[in-house]
Amino acid sequence: MIGKNFTPFPVLKTERLTLRQLRSSDDKEIFALRSNDNVNKYLDRKRSKSIDDAKNFIQAINENIQRNDSIYWAITLNDTDKLIGTICLFDFSEDHSKAEIGYELLPDFQGKGIMQEATSKVIQFGFQHVGLNSIEAYSHSENQSSTRLLGKLNFKRHSTADENLTIFKLTHTG
């Protein structure tokens, strides 16, 4: 089925990873992600200040998924169910042909190819199951890790949103 329908929730698997729905029991890991200075360094968002912030965030994300407004996965290693990062498709165009991708990973798991593996799977899902024609990513000009990742995945530098943000775009060719 092609389209923006995220019920039942699409669990995605790769060689090392399971991408699953966020659960209320992920609150400590979501708090760790959303309050970490390194993770948030290039993100313009309100930091989590408490476990309650994390619980409210998880609830809001799952409500957005129920409304098919966005799709947001917890990234876990196959041998454990513990959240190590997140990845999402959001800000869909009205005709569902374009969406934005966003991702974050706890520092202990960075630099191991995990995000490339997760992002590749989510891109495949977006093109094959949602029917997207293009996926955009916004990256801070100083975020070299994200810029390198997008380059490896064939995203092309598209334009500059402002002096700090570069827009990258991947167009479906299949």
Side-chain angles (χ1 to χ4, degrees):
M1 184 217 57
I2 290 189
K4 202 174 77 141
N5 181 356
F6 307 128
T7 306
F9 187 89
V11 174
L12 307 178
K13 290 194 172 275
T14 69
E15 186 179 323
R16 298 184 291 170
L17 308 172
T18 299
L19 308 183
R20 61 158 173 81
Q21 188 162 10
L22 274 182
R23 301 179 186 136
S24 56
S25 58
D26 293 322
D27 56 353
K28 289 173 191 62
E29 291 80 16
I30 287 293
F31 175 72
L33 263 178
R34 296 184 62 83
S35 63
N36 184 288
D37 287 337
N38 288 332
V39 172
N40 287 288
K41 185 174 184 178
Y42 302 115
L43 299 173
D44 182 24
R45 71 175 179 201
K46 196 172 151 196
R47 282 179 170 57
S48 285
K49 295 186 183 348
S50 67
I51 290 291
D52 280 344
D53 285 351
K55 288 179 191 278
N56 292 335
F57 176 79
I58 292 167
Q59 183 178 347
I61 288 298
N62 285 328
E63 287 170 2
N64 285 338
I65 293 167
Q66 285 177 334
R67 288 192 304 268
N68 295 312
D69 289 341
S70 63
I71 181 75
Y72 194 102
W73 291 271
I75 301 170
T76 65
L77 297 172
N78 282 334
D79 59 353
T80 175
D81 202 37
K82 190 174 171 88
L83 181 149
I84 61 170
T86 65
I87 188 165
C88 59
L89 290 171
F90 64 103
D91 198 19
F92 288 87
S93 61
E94 263 187 59
D95 64 357
H96 312 270
S97 67
K98 180 178 80 174
E100 186 177 339
I101 193 166
Y103 42 81
E104 58 192 348
L105 198 59
L106 286 167
D108 288 352
F109 298 93
Q110 293 175 6
K112 299 175 179 2
I114 289 170
M115 195 52 75
Q116 184 173 350
E117 195 173 318
T119 306
S120 295
K121 192 68 174 179
V122 168
I123 289 168
Q124 178 186 16
F125 174 84
F127 288 152
Q128 293 179 0
H129 296 282
V130 181
L132 296 173
N133 294 325
S134 67
I135 297 174
E136 291 183 348
Y138 288 72
S139 184
H140 192 281
S141 56
E142 295 176 13
N143 190 344
Q144 295 305 309
S145 297
S146 184
T147 299
R148 272 194 308 278
L149 171 66
L150 295 169
K152 286 179 190 172
L153 295 168
N154 298 314
F155 278 76
K156 303 293 181 232
R157 192 177 298 266
H158 187 64
S159 62
T160 306
D162 63 35
E163 67 273 2
N164 294 321
L165 280 182
T166 303
I167 303 170
F168 291 83
K169 190 172 187 174
L170 181 65
T171 304
H172 185 48
T173 55

